[in-house]
Amino acid sequence: LDLVKTDSMHSMMKRDYITSQLVEVQHHCALAFPEGRIDDIRTLCDIVDGLMFNNSQGHKLTQALVGHVMNMPLPTIVKKGLLKVWGELIEEQFEHPSQLQELQVKMNAIGASHLLVSLLQGMDEDVTSEAVHFGTKILHTGNKEVQDTLLLQFRNEEDTFFANISYHIELAGQAMADMKREMAFMEDKSFDQAQEEVYHDMFVDRKELSMIEPILRLLQLFCEGHHLELQNYLREQPERKEHS
């Protein structure tokens, strides 16, 4: 009985620790990214990095954070912040292949691939954009273990993931067509240099266009390393409506 009580108290202390750290991370997200900006994330990276996989509590904290981002109504700024931080921490290992693969596998094991698919099925455009960038980091070089997990996810999830990816590609195509028409209109008008620069920036700096390159990169990384099963699945999308 004493052992049971001790284990129970120990579990409660761990939960309290994780909860307190979640509050701290959320607080630092808000401080680091005022007004929705994600510029300086070094301090937050250090905080999360120090809590990731250095000990069992850090592992549980990271797992809890992944679960919270996926399932809890956290503010957009916090979700974007944590995705940005995790992506930055993975990117730091790009020049170290063995460490990179180890970190990708650890993140995959605690649900990061499930998180990716879940967020890319959501309606928050800002979170979707950051999730795409995160996906290109956790799949960098084509990690087969991550690819295998994603394939399993695709086979068991609803159709929303592919529908959303197709939707964003279609938006980008429409934006490019609109931009060509607008640029042609500008060529027929007389503008001074300052006006031309303003209109050019307005036409080119569009969210629909900014997302298309990382989306295409993500789709490429799904199949990196000649992952034949995933290639075939993305091409055929069996047992669901096909999104070309």
PDB file of all heavy atoms in Angstrom, residues 113 116-117 120 132 135-136 138-140 142-144 146-148 150-151 154 161-162 165 215-231 234:
ATOM      1  N   SER A 113       4.429  13.153 -35.878  1.00  0.00           N
ATOM      2  CA  SER A 113       3.846  12.898 -37.201  1.00  0.00           C
ATOM      3  C   SER A 113       2.323  12.959 -37.141  1.00  0.00           C
ATOM      4  O   SER A 113       1.673  13.483 -38.058  1.00  0.00           O
ATOM      5  CB  SER A 113       4.301  11.526 -37.723  1.00  0.00           C
ATOM      6  OG  SER A 113       5.697  11.501 -37.887  1.00  0.00           O
ATOM      7  N   LEU A 116       1.439  16.558 -37.065  1.00  0.00           N
ATOM      8  CA  LEU A 116       1.538  17.168 -38.387  1.00  0.00           C
ATOM      9  C   LEU A 116       0.267  16.936 -39.202  1.00  0.00           C
ATOM     10  O   LEU A 116      -0.317  17.879 -39.750  1.00  0.00           O
ATOM     11  CB  LEU A 116       2.752  16.601 -39.127  1.00  0.00           C
ATOM     12  CG  LEU A 116       2.926  17.028 -40.586  1.00  0.00           C
ATOM     13  CD1 LEU A 116       3.150  18.527 -40.681  1.00  0.00           C
ATOM     14  CD2 LEU A 116       4.078  16.260 -41.229  1.00  0.00           C
ATOM     15  N   VAL A 117      -0.174  15.685 -39.269  1.00  0.00           N
ATOM     16  CA  VAL A 117      -1.371  15.360 -40.041  1.00  0.00           C
ATOM     17  C   VAL A 117      -2.593  16.057 -39.447  1.00  0.00           C
ATOM     18  O   VAL A 117      -3.436  16.599 -40.174  1.00  0.00           O
ATOM     19  CB  VAL A 117      -1.593  13.836 -40.093  1.00  0.00           C
ATOM     20  CG1 VAL A 117      -2.928  13.497 -40.751  1.00  0.00           C
ATOM     21  CG2 VAL A 117      -0.450  13.161 -40.853  1.00  0.00           C
ATOM     22  N   LEU A 120      -2.576  19.830 -40.251  1.00  0.00           N
ATOM     23  CA  LEU A 120      -2.796  20.095 -41.670  1.00  0.00           C
ATOM     24  C   LEU A 120      -4.219  19.760 -42.105  1.00  0.00           C
ATOM     25  O   LEU A 120      -4.584  19.983 -43.256  1.00  0.00           O
ATOM     26  CB  LEU A 120      -1.785  19.320 -42.520  1.00  0.00           C
ATOM     27  CG  LEU A 120      -0.340  19.826 -42.416  1.00  0.00           C
ATOM     28  CD1 LEU A 120       0.594  19.008 -43.279  1.00  0.00           C
ATOM     29  CD2 LEU A 120      -0.254  21.296 -42.802  1.00  0.00           C
ATOM     30  N   VAL A 132       3.327  23.079 -42.031  1.00  0.00           N
ATOM     31  CA  VAL A 132       3.983  22.648 -43.276  1.00  0.00           C
ATOM     32  C   VAL A 132       5.494  22.791 -43.147  1.00  0.00           C
ATOM     33  O   VAL A 132       6.253  21.884 -43.502  1.00  0.00           O
ATOM     34  CB  VAL A 132       3.461  23.469 -44.478  1.00  0.00           C
ATOM     35  CG1 VAL A 132       4.320  23.211 -45.717  1.00  0.00           C
ATOM     36  CG2 VAL A 132       2.015  23.115 -44.770  1.00  0.00           C
ATOM     37  N   GLY A 135       6.818  20.158 -40.950  1.00  0.00           N
ATOM     38  CA  GLY A 135       6.843  18.881 -41.651  1.00  0.00           C
ATOM     39  C   GLY A 135       8.083  18.713 -42.512  1.00  0.00           C
ATOM     40  O   GLY A 135       8.653  17.619 -42.596  1.00  0.00           O
ATOM     41  N   THR A 136       8.531  19.806 -43.150  1.00  0.00           N
ATOM     42  CA  THR A 136       9.733  19.707 -43.977  1.00  0.00           C
ATOM     43  C   THR A 136      10.983  19.477 -43.131  1.00  0.00           C
ATOM     44  O   THR A 136      11.981  18.958 -43.639  1.00  0.00           O
ATOM     45  CB  THR A 136       9.928  20.981 -44.823  1.00  0.00           C
ATOM     46  OG1 THR A 136      10.149  22.113 -43.965  1.00  0.00           O
ATOM     47  CG2 THR A 136       8.726  21.237 -45.713  1.00  0.00           C
ATOM     48  N   ILE A 138      10.950  17.691 -39.979  1.00  0.00           N
ATOM     49  CA  ILE A 138      10.941  16.347 -39.402  1.00  0.00           C
ATOM     50  C   ILE A 138      11.120  15.283 -40.494  1.00  0.00           C
ATOM     51  O   ILE A 138      11.519  14.146 -40.210  1.00  0.00           O
ATOM     52  CB  ILE A 138       9.651  16.100 -38.589  1.00  0.00           C
ATOM     53  CG1 ILE A 138       9.842  14.889 -37.668  1.00  0.00           C
ATOM     54  CG2 ILE A 138       8.453  15.920 -39.492  1.00  0.00           C
ATOM     55  CD1 ILE A 138       8.724  14.681 -36.692  1.00  0.00           C
ATOM     56  N   LEU A 139      10.858  15.656 -41.746  1.00  0.00           N
ATOM     57  CA  LEU A 139      11.053  14.725 -42.856  1.00  0.00           C
ATOM     58  C   LEU A 139      12.339  15.001 -43.637  1.00  0.00           C
ATOM     59  O   LEU A 139      12.587  14.351 -44.650  1.00  0.00           O
ATOM     60  CB  LEU A 139       9.858  14.802 -43.813  1.00  0.00           C
ATOM     61  CG  LEU A 139       8.633  13.981 -43.419  1.00  0.00           C
ATOM     62  CD1 LEU A 139       7.404  14.489 -44.168  1.00  0.00           C
ATOM     63  CD2 LEU A 139       8.853  12.500 -43.700  1.00  0.00           C
ATOM     64  N   HIS A 140      13.121  15.952 -43.187  1.00  0.00           N
ATOM     65  CA  HIS A 140      14.337  16.333 -43.916  1.00  0.00           C
ATOM     66  C   HIS A 140      15.213  15.117 -44.181  1.00  0.00           C
ATOM     67  O   HIS A 140      15.465  14.318 -43.283  1.00  0.00           O
ATOM     68  CB  HIS A 140      15.120  17.374 -43.106  1.00  0.00           C
ATOM     69  CG  HIS A 140      16.320  17.913 -43.814  1.00  0.00           C
ATOM     70  ND1 HIS A 140      16.221  18.736 -44.908  1.00  0.00           N
ATOM     71  CD2 HIS A 140      17.655  17.730 -43.594  1.00  0.00           C
ATOM     72  CE1 HIS A 140      17.426  19.061 -45.320  1.00  0.00           C
ATOM     73  NE2 HIS A 140      18.318  18.456 -44.549  1.00  0.00           N
ATOM     74  N   GLY A 142      14.315  12.624 -45.793  1.00  0.00           N
ATOM     75  CA  GLY A 142      13.445  11.467 -45.998  1.00  0.00           C
ATOM     76  C   GLY A 142      13.614  10.402 -44.942  1.00  0.00           C
ATOM     77  O   GLY A 142      14.055   9.293 -45.229  1.00  0.00           O
ATOM     78  N   ASN A 143      13.251  10.733 -43.700  1.00  0.00           N
ATOM     79  CA  ASN A 143      13.367   9.768 -42.598  1.00  0.00           C
ATOM     80  C   ASN A 143      12.315   8.667 -42.780  1.00  0.00           C
ATOM     81  O   ASN A 143      11.114   8.931 -42.733  1.00  0.00           O
ATOM     82  CB  ASN A 143      13.160  10.476 -41.262  1.00  0.00           C
ATOM     83  CG  ASN A 143      13.428   9.577 -40.078  1.00  0.00           C
ATOM     84  OD1 ASN A 143      12.742   8.593 -39.874  1.00  0.00           O
ATOM     85  ND2 ASN A 143      14.438   9.930 -39.294  1.00  0.00           N
ATOM     86  N   LYS A 144      12.772   7.432 -42.996  1.00  0.00           N
ATOM     87  CA  LYS A 144      11.855   6.341 -43.333  1.00  0.00           C
ATOM     88  C   LYS A 144      10.894   6.037 -42.191  1.00  0.00           C
ATOM     89  O   LYS A 144       9.726   5.700 -42.424  1.00  0.00           O
ATOM     90  CB  LYS A 144      12.619   5.083 -43.713  1.00  0.00           C
ATOM     91  CG  LYS A 144      11.702   3.961 -44.241  1.00  0.00           C
ATOM     92  CD  LYS A 144      12.488   2.761 -44.704  1.00  0.00           C
ATOM     93  CE  LYS A 144      11.553   1.717 -45.332  1.00  0.00           C
ATOM     94  NZ  LYS A 144      10.479   1.290 -44.421  1.00  0.00           N
ATOM     95  N   VAL A 146       9.620   8.103 -40.030  1.00  0.00           N
ATOM     96  CA  VAL A 146       8.572   9.124 -40.071  1.00  0.00           C
ATOM     97  C   VAL A 146       7.644   8.868 -41.255  1.00  0.00           C
ATOM     98  O   VAL A 146       6.417   8.965 -41.133  1.00  0.00           O
ATOM     99  CB  VAL A 146       9.185  10.537 -40.162  1.00  0.00           C
ATOM    100  CG1 VAL A 146       8.085  11.598 -40.252  1.00  0.00           C
ATOM    101  CG2 VAL A 146      10.075  10.815 -38.957  1.00  0.00           C
ATOM    102  N   GLN A 147       8.217   8.522 -42.400  1.00  0.00           N
ATOM    103  CA  GLN A 147       7.397   8.221 -43.579  1.00  0.00           C
ATOM    104  C   GLN A 147       6.458   7.047 -43.323  1.00  0.00           C
ATOM    105  O   GLN A 147       5.292   7.082 -43.708  1.00  0.00           O
ATOM    106  CB  GLN A 147       8.304   7.917 -44.770  1.00  0.00           C
ATOM    107  CG  GLN A 147       9.062   9.126 -45.300  1.00  0.00           C
ATOM    108  CD  GLN A 147      10.085   8.739 -46.351  1.00  0.00           C
ATOM    109  OE1 GLN A 147      10.643   7.638 -46.325  1.00  0.00           O
ATOM    110  NE2 GLN A 147      10.354   9.647 -47.277  1.00  0.00           N
ATOM    111  N   ASP A 148       6.964   5.996 -42.675  1.00  0.00           N
ATOM    112  CA  ASP A 148       6.126   4.827 -42.378  1.00  0.00           C
ATOM    113  C   ASP A 148       4.965   5.208 -41.470  1.00  0.00           C
ATOM    114  O   ASP A 148       3.829   4.739 -41.654  1.00  0.00           O
ATOM    115  CB  ASP A 148       6.963   3.731 -41.717  1.00  0.00           C
ATOM    116  CG  ASP A 148       7.940   3.066 -42.680  1.00  0.00           C
ATOM    117  OD1 ASP A 148       7.756   3.196 -43.897  1.00  0.00           O
ATOM    118  OD2 ASP A 148       8.896   2.419 -42.195  1.00  0.00           O
ATOM    119  N   LEU A 150       3.587   8.186 -41.196  1.00  0.00           N
ATOM    120  CA  LEU A 150       2.650   8.994 -41.974  1.00  0.00           C
ATOM    121  C   LEU A 150       1.782   8.129 -42.875  1.00  0.00           C
ATOM    122  O   LEU A 150       0.573   8.366 -43.008  1.00  0.00           O
ATOM    123  CB  LEU A 150       3.428  10.012 -42.820  1.00  0.00           C
ATOM    124  CG  LEU A 150       4.017  11.193 -42.045  1.00  0.00           C
ATOM    125  CD1 LEU A 150       4.982  11.972 -42.917  1.00  0.00           C
ATOM    126  CD2 LEU A 150       2.921  12.112 -41.529  1.00  0.00           C
ATOM    127  N   LEU A 151       2.386   7.118 -43.489  1.00  0.00           N
ATOM    128  CA  LEU A 151       1.615   6.218 -44.347  1.00  0.00           C
ATOM    129  C   LEU A 151       0.503   5.536 -43.555  1.00  0.00           C
ATOM    130  O   LEU A 151      -0.646   5.439 -44.017  1.00  0.00           O
ATOM    131  CB  LEU A 151       2.538   5.172 -44.973  1.00  0.00           C
ATOM    132  CG  LEU A 151       1.871   4.130 -45.881  1.00  0.00           C
ATOM    133  CD1 LEU A 151       1.150   4.787 -47.044  1.00  0.00           C
ATOM    134  CD2 LEU A 151       2.902   3.120 -46.387  1.00  0.00           C
ATOM    135  N   PHE A 154      -2.205   8.086 -42.922  1.00  0.00           N
ATOM    136  CA  PHE A 154      -3.029   8.344 -44.102  1.00  0.00           C
ATOM    137  C   PHE A 154      -4.055   7.245 -44.315  1.00  0.00           C
ATOM    138  O   PHE A 154      -5.185   7.508 -44.743  1.00  0.00           O
ATOM    139  CB  PHE A 154      -2.143   8.478 -45.344  1.00  0.00           C
ATOM    140  CG  PHE A 154      -1.235   9.674 -45.318  1.00  0.00           C
ATOM    141  CD1 PHE A 154      -0.023   9.659 -45.997  1.00  0.00           C
ATOM    142  CD2 PHE A 154      -1.599  10.823 -44.641  1.00  0.00           C
ATOM    143  CE1 PHE A 154       0.813  10.762 -45.984  1.00  0.00           C
ATOM    144  CE2 PHE A 154      -0.768  11.937 -44.615  1.00  0.00           C
ATOM    145  CZ  PHE A 154       0.439  11.901 -45.293  1.00  0.00           C
ATOM    146  N   PHE A 161      -6.971  15.684 -44.861  1.00  0.00           N
ATOM    147  CA  PHE A 161      -5.577  16.064 -45.096  1.00  0.00           C
ATOM    148  C   PHE A 161      -5.341  16.348 -46.579  1.00  0.00           C
ATOM    149  O   PHE A 161      -4.857  17.418 -46.959  1.00  0.00           O
ATOM    150  CB  PHE A 161      -4.633  14.962 -44.615  1.00  0.00           C
ATOM    151  CG  PHE A 161      -3.190  15.226 -44.940  1.00  0.00           C
ATOM    152  CD1 PHE A 161      -2.414  15.986 -44.086  1.00  0.00           C
ATOM    153  CD2 PHE A 161      -2.609  14.728 -46.102  1.00  0.00           C
ATOM    154  CE1 PHE A 161      -1.085  16.244 -44.387  1.00  0.00           C
ATOM    155  CE2 PHE A 161      -1.284  14.976 -46.404  1.00  0.00           C
ATOM    156  CZ  PHE A 161      -0.522  15.732 -45.547  1.00  0.00           C
ATOM    157  N   PHE A 162      -5.670  15.386 -47.434  1.00  0.00           N
ATOM    158  CA  PHE A 162      -5.424  15.549 -48.860  1.00  0.00           C
ATOM    159  C   PHE A 162      -6.315  16.635 -49.461  1.00  0.00           C
ATOM    160  O   PHE A 162      -5.904  17.339 -50.378  1.00  0.00           O
ATOM    161  CB  PHE A 162      -5.620  14.224 -49.588  1.00  0.00           C
ATOM    162  CG  PHE A 162      -4.569  13.212 -49.259  1.00  0.00           C
ATOM    163  CD1 PHE A 162      -4.813  12.199 -48.342  1.00  0.00           C
ATOM    164  CD2 PHE A 162      -3.314  13.280 -49.838  1.00  0.00           C
ATOM    165  CE1 PHE A 162      -3.838  11.277 -48.027  1.00  0.00           C
ATOM    166  CE2 PHE A 162      -2.334  12.361 -49.530  1.00  0.00           C
ATOM    167  CZ  PHE A 162      -2.588  11.357 -48.625  1.00  0.00           C
ATOM    168  N   ILE A 165      -4.565  19.944 -48.615  1.00  0.00           N
ATOM    169  CA  ILE A 165      -3.369  20.146 -49.429  1.00  0.00           C
ATOM    170  C   ILE A 165      -3.769  20.539 -50.848  1.00  0.00           C
ATOM    171  O   ILE A 165      -3.215  21.487 -51.438  1.00  0.00           O
ATOM    172  CB  ILE A 165      -2.506  18.868 -49.457  1.00  0.00           C
ATOM    173  CG1 ILE A 165      -1.877  18.608 -48.081  1.00  0.00           C
ATOM    174  CG2 ILE A 165      -1.417  18.984 -50.523  1.00  0.00           C
ATOM    175  CD1 ILE A 165      -0.845  19.615 -47.654  1.00  0.00           C
ATOM    176  N   ILE A 215       4.781  23.487 -49.353  1.00  0.00           N
ATOM    177  CA  ILE A 215       3.842  22.376 -49.544  1.00  0.00           C
ATOM    178  C   ILE A 215       4.396  21.376 -50.547  1.00  0.00           C
ATOM    179  O   ILE A 215       4.375  20.157 -50.316  1.00  0.00           O
ATOM    180  CB  ILE A 215       2.461  22.897 -49.997  1.00  0.00           C
ATOM    181  CG1 ILE A 215       1.706  23.500 -48.809  1.00  0.00           C
ATOM    182  CG2 ILE A 215       1.627  21.761 -50.601  1.00  0.00           C
ATOM    183  CD1 ILE A 215       0.377  24.125 -49.181  1.00  0.00           C
ATOM    184  N   LEU A 216       4.906  21.872 -51.667  1.00  0.00           N
ATOM    185  CA  LEU A 216       5.478  20.975 -52.670  1.00  0.00           C
ATOM    186  C   LEU A 216       6.717  20.272 -52.140  1.00  0.00           C
ATOM    187  O   LEU A 216       6.955  19.096 -52.436  1.00  0.00           O
ATOM    188  CB  LEU A 216       5.809  21.760 -53.944  1.00  0.00           C
ATOM    189  CG  LEU A 216       4.605  22.338 -54.700  1.00  0.00           C
ATOM    190  CD1 LEU A 216       5.065  23.143 -55.898  1.00  0.00           C
ATOM    191  CD2 LEU A 216       3.647  21.228 -55.136  1.00  0.00           C
ATOM    192  N   ARG A 217       7.503  20.985 -51.329  1.00  0.00           N
ATOM    193  CA  ARG A 217       8.677  20.361 -50.705  1.00  0.00           C
ATOM    194  C   ARG A 217       8.243  19.259 -49.747  1.00  0.00           C
ATOM    195  O   ARG A 217       8.854  18.180 -49.697  1.00  0.00           O
ATOM    196  CB  ARG A 217       9.499  21.416 -49.969  1.00  0.00           C
ATOM    197  CG  ARG A 217      10.698  20.890 -49.195  1.00  0.00           C
ATOM    198  CD  ARG A 217      11.671  20.170 -50.085  1.00  0.00           C
ATOM    199  NE  ARG A 217      12.844  19.721 -49.345  1.00  0.00           N
ATOM    200  CZ  ARG A 217      13.649  18.733 -49.736  1.00  0.00           C
ATOM    201  NH1 ARG A 217      13.403  18.095 -50.887  1.00  0.00           N
ATOM    202  NH2 ARG A 217      14.689  18.387 -49.020  1.00  0.00           N
ATOM    203  N   LEU A 218       7.170  19.500 -48.993  1.00  0.00           N
ATOM    204  CA  LEU A 218       6.663  18.490 -48.065  1.00  0.00           C
ATOM    205  C   LEU A 218       6.222  17.240 -48.819  1.00  0.00           C
ATOM    206  O   LEU A 218       6.552  16.115 -48.426  1.00  0.00           O
ATOM    207  CB  LEU A 218       5.499  19.065 -47.263  1.00  0.00           C
ATOM    208  CG  LEU A 218       4.852  18.140 -46.227  1.00  0.00           C
ATOM    209  CD1 LEU A 218       5.841  17.787 -45.127  1.00  0.00           C
ATOM    210  CD2 LEU A 218       3.603  18.783 -45.630  1.00  0.00           C
ATOM    211  N   LEU A 219       5.492  17.418 -49.909  1.00  0.00           N
ATOM    212  CA  LEU A 219       5.046  16.278 -50.702  1.00  0.00           C
ATOM    213  C   LEU A 219       6.235  15.513 -51.272  1.00  0.00           C
ATOM    214  O   LEU A 219       6.222  14.273 -51.345  1.00  0.00           O
ATOM    215  CB  LEU A 219       4.128  16.745 -51.832  1.00  0.00           C
ATOM    216  CG  LEU A 219       2.770  17.319 -51.403  1.00  0.00           C
ATOM    217  CD1 LEU A 219       2.020  17.874 -52.610  1.00  0.00           C
ATOM    218  CD2 LEU A 219       1.931  16.266 -50.687  1.00  0.00           C
ATOM    219  N   GLN A 220       7.267  16.249 -51.656  1.00  0.00           N
ATOM    220  CA  GLN A 220       8.477  15.596 -52.152  1.00  0.00           C
ATOM    221  C   GLN A 220       9.130  14.752 -51.064  1.00  0.00           C
ATOM    222  O   GLN A 220       9.554  13.612 -51.304  1.00  0.00           O
ATOM    223  CB  GLN A 220       9.463  16.648 -52.657  1.00  0.00           C
ATOM    224  CG  GLN A 220      10.792  16.068 -53.148  1.00  0.00           C
ATOM    225  CD  GLN A 220      11.821  17.143 -53.451  1.00  0.00           C
ATOM    226  OE1 GLN A 220      11.628  18.316 -53.125  1.00  0.00           O
ATOM    227  NE2 GLN A 220      12.915  16.751 -54.083  1.00  0.00           N
ATOM    228  N   LEU A 221       9.187  15.294 -49.853  1.00  0.00           N
ATOM    229  CA  LEU A 221       9.839  14.583 -48.750  1.00  0.00           C
ATOM    230  C   LEU A 221       9.036  13.371 -48.294  1.00  0.00           C
ATOM    231  O   LEU A 221       9.603  12.442 -47.708  1.00  0.00           O
ATOM    232  CB  LEU A 221      10.065  15.544 -47.576  1.00  0.00           C
ATOM    233  CG  LEU A 221      11.161  16.583 -47.797  1.00  0.00           C
ATOM    234  CD1 LEU A 221      11.130  17.640 -46.699  1.00  0.00           C
ATOM    235  CD2 LEU A 221      12.536  15.917 -47.840  1.00  0.00           C
ATOM    236  N   PHE A 222       7.726  13.382 -48.526  1.00  0.00           N
ATOM    237  CA  PHE A 222       6.941  12.187 -48.222  1.00  0.00           C
ATOM    238  C   PHE A 222       7.526  10.964 -48.944  1.00  0.00           C
ATOM    239  O   PHE A 222       7.459   9.848 -48.432  1.00  0.00           O
ATOM    240  CB  PHE A 222       5.488  12.366 -48.673  1.00  0.00           C
ATOM    241  CG  PHE A 222       4.651  13.212 -47.756  1.00  0.00           C
ATOM    242  CD1 PHE A 222       3.440  13.726 -48.189  1.00  0.00           C
ATOM    243  CD2 PHE A 222       5.055  13.494 -46.462  1.00  0.00           C
ATOM    244  CE1 PHE A 222       2.653  14.502 -47.359  1.00  0.00           C
ATOM    245  CE2 PHE A 222       4.285  14.269 -45.626  1.00  0.00           C
ATOM    246  CZ  PHE A 222       3.077  14.772 -46.068  1.00  0.00           C
ATOM    247  N   CYS A 223       8.056  11.201 -50.126  1.00  0.00           N
ATOM    248  CA  CYS A 223       8.517  10.093 -50.978  1.00  0.00           C
ATOM    249  C   CYS A 223      10.040  10.044 -51.099  1.00  0.00           C
ATOM    250  O   CYS A 223      10.563   9.231 -51.867  1.00  0.00           O
ATOM    251  CB  CYS A 223       7.911  10.216 -52.367  1.00  0.00           C
ATOM    252  SG  CYS A 223       6.114  10.367 -52.365  1.00  0.00           S
ATOM    253  N   GLU A 224      10.741  10.907 -50.393  1.00  0.00           N
ATOM    254  CA  GLU A 224      12.204  10.955 -50.481  1.00  0.00           C
ATOM    255  C   GLU A 224      12.803   9.592 -50.141  1.00  0.00           C
ATOM    256  O   GLU A 224      12.323   8.891 -49.256  1.00  0.00           O
ATOM    257  CB  GLU A 224      12.747  12.015 -49.514  1.00  0.00           C
ATOM    258  CG  GLU A 224      14.195  12.349 -49.674  1.00  0.00           C
ATOM    259  CD  GLU A 224      14.457  13.343 -50.783  1.00  0.00           C
ATOM    260  OE1 GLU A 224      13.499  13.788 -51.443  1.00  0.00           O
ATOM    261  OE2 GLU A 224      15.638  13.685 -50.980  1.00  0.00           O
ATOM    262  N   GLY A 225      13.869   9.234 -50.840  1.00  0.00           N
ATOM    263  CA  GLY A 225      14.496   7.938 -50.591  1.00  0.00           C
ATOM    264  C   GLY A 225      13.762   6.804 -51.271  1.00  0.00           C
ATOM    265  O   GLY A 225      13.905   5.648 -50.886  1.00  0.00           O
ATOM    266  N   HIS A 226      12.961   7.136 -52.279  1.00  0.00           N
ATOM    267  CA  HIS A 226      12.231   6.120 -53.059  1.00  0.00           C
ATOM    268  C   HIS A 226      11.340   5.256 -52.164  1.00  0.00           C
ATOM    269  O   HIS A 226      11.370   4.030 -52.229  1.00  0.00           O
ATOM    270  CB  HIS A 226      13.208   5.234 -53.843  1.00  0.00           C
ATOM    271  CG  HIS A 226      14.125   6.009 -54.737  1.00  0.00           C
ATOM    272  ND1 HIS A 226      13.679   6.684 -55.856  1.00  0.00           N
ATOM    273  CD2 HIS A 226      15.457   6.242 -54.659  1.00  0.00           C
ATOM    274  CE1 HIS A 226      14.699   7.284 -56.431  1.00  0.00           C
ATOM    275  NE2 HIS A 226      15.778   7.035 -55.735  1.00  0.00           N
ATOM    276  N   HIS A 227      10.554   5.915 -51.313  1.00  0.00           N
ATOM    277  CA  HIS A 227       9.593   5.198 -50.473  1.00  0.00           C
ATOM    278  C   HIS A 227       8.419   4.804 -51.368  1.00  0.00           C
ATOM    279  O   HIS A 227       7.444   5.552 -51.522  1.00  0.00           O
ATOM    280  CB  HIS A 227       9.133   6.074 -49.314  1.00  0.00           C
ATOM    281  CG  HIS A 227       8.454   5.325 -48.207  1.00  0.00           C
ATOM    282  ND1 HIS A 227       7.243   4.696 -48.385  1.00  0.00           N
ATOM    283  CD2 HIS A 227       8.817   5.083 -46.918  1.00  0.00           C
ATOM    284  CE1 HIS A 227       6.871   4.120 -47.253  1.00  0.00           C
ATOM    285  NE2 HIS A 227       7.816   4.349 -46.340  1.00  0.00           N
ATOM    286  N   LEU A 228       8.497   3.622 -51.955  1.00  0.00           N
ATOM    287  CA  LEU A 228       7.567   3.212 -52.996  1.00  0.00           C
ATOM    288  C   LEU A 228       6.125   3.146 -52.502  1.00  0.00           C
ATOM    289  O   LEU A 228       5.195   3.579 -53.196  1.00  0.00           O
ATOM    290  CB  LEU A 228       7.986   1.858 -53.575  1.00  0.00           C
ATOM    291  CG  LEU A 228       7.222   1.383 -54.822  1.00  0.00           C
ATOM    292  CD1 LEU A 228       7.365   2.397 -55.947  1.00  0.00           C
ATOM    293  CD2 LEU A 228       7.717   0.020 -55.260  1.00  0.00           C
ATOM    294  N   GLU A 229       5.916   2.616 -51.303  1.00  0.00           N
ATOM    295  CA  GLU A 229       4.552   2.501 -50.780  1.00  0.00           C
ATOM    296  C   GLU A 229       3.884   3.864 -50.646  1.00  0.00           C
ATOM    297  O   GLU A 229       2.718   4.044 -51.000  1.00  0.00           O
ATOM    298  CB  GLU A 229       4.569   1.796 -49.417  1.00  0.00           C
ATOM    299  CG  GLU A 229       4.661   0.295 -49.468  1.00  0.00           C
ATOM    300  CD  GLU A 229       4.433  -0.300 -48.091  1.00  0.00           C
ATOM    301  OE1 GLU A 229       5.390  -0.325 -47.287  1.00  0.00           O
ATOM    302  OE2 GLU A 229       3.294  -0.736 -47.814  1.00  0.00           O
ATOM    303  N   LEU A 230       4.636   4.832 -50.126  1.00  0.00           N
ATOM    304  CA  LEU A 230       4.076   6.167 -49.947  1.00  0.00           C
ATOM    305  C   LEU A 230       3.883   6.862 -51.298  1.00  0.00           C
ATOM    306  O   LEU A 230       2.901   7.588 -51.496  1.00  0.00           O
ATOM    307  CB  LEU A 230       4.988   7.000 -49.041  1.00  0.00           C
ATOM    308  CG  LEU A 230       4.394   8.231 -48.346  1.00  0.00           C
ATOM    309  CD1 LEU A 230       3.011   7.964 -47.789  1.00  0.00           C
ATOM    310  CD2 LEU A 230       5.326   8.708 -47.245  1.00  0.00           C
ATOM    311  N   GLN A 231       4.807   6.633 -52.214  1.00  0.00           N
ATOM    312  CA  GLN A 231       4.640   7.175 -53.565  1.00  0.00           C
ATOM    313  C   GLN A 231       3.344   6.670 -54.191  1.00  0.00           C
ATOM    314  O   GLN A 231       2.557   7.446 -54.741  1.00  0.00           O
ATOM    315  CB  GLN A 231       5.835   6.771 -54.441  1.00  0.00           C
ATOM    316  CG  GLN A 231       7.132   7.484 -54.105  1.00  0.00           C
ATOM    317  CD  GLN A 231       8.280   6.992 -54.959  1.00  0.00           C
ATOM    318  OE1 GLN A 231       8.097   6.209 -55.883  1.00  0.00           O
ATOM    319  NE2 GLN A 231       9.480   7.446 -54.644  1.00  0.00           N
ATOM    320  N   LEU A 234       0.216   8.167 -52.386  1.00  0.00           N
ATOM    321  CA  LEU A 234      -0.070   9.554 -52.742  1.00  0.00           C
ATOM    322  C   LEU A 234      -0.618   9.663 -54.162  1.00  0.00           C
ATOM    323  O   LEU A 234      -1.474  10.509 -54.444  1.00  0.00           O
ATOM    324  CB  LEU A 234       1.207  10.399 -52.618  1.00  0.00           C
ATOM    325  CG  LEU A 234       1.727  10.624 -51.199  1.00  0.00           C
ATOM    326  CD1 LEU A 234       3.019  11.417 -51.230  1.00  0.00           C
ATOM    327  CD2 LEU A 234       0.698  11.352 -50.347  1.00  0.00           C
TER     328      LEU A 234
END
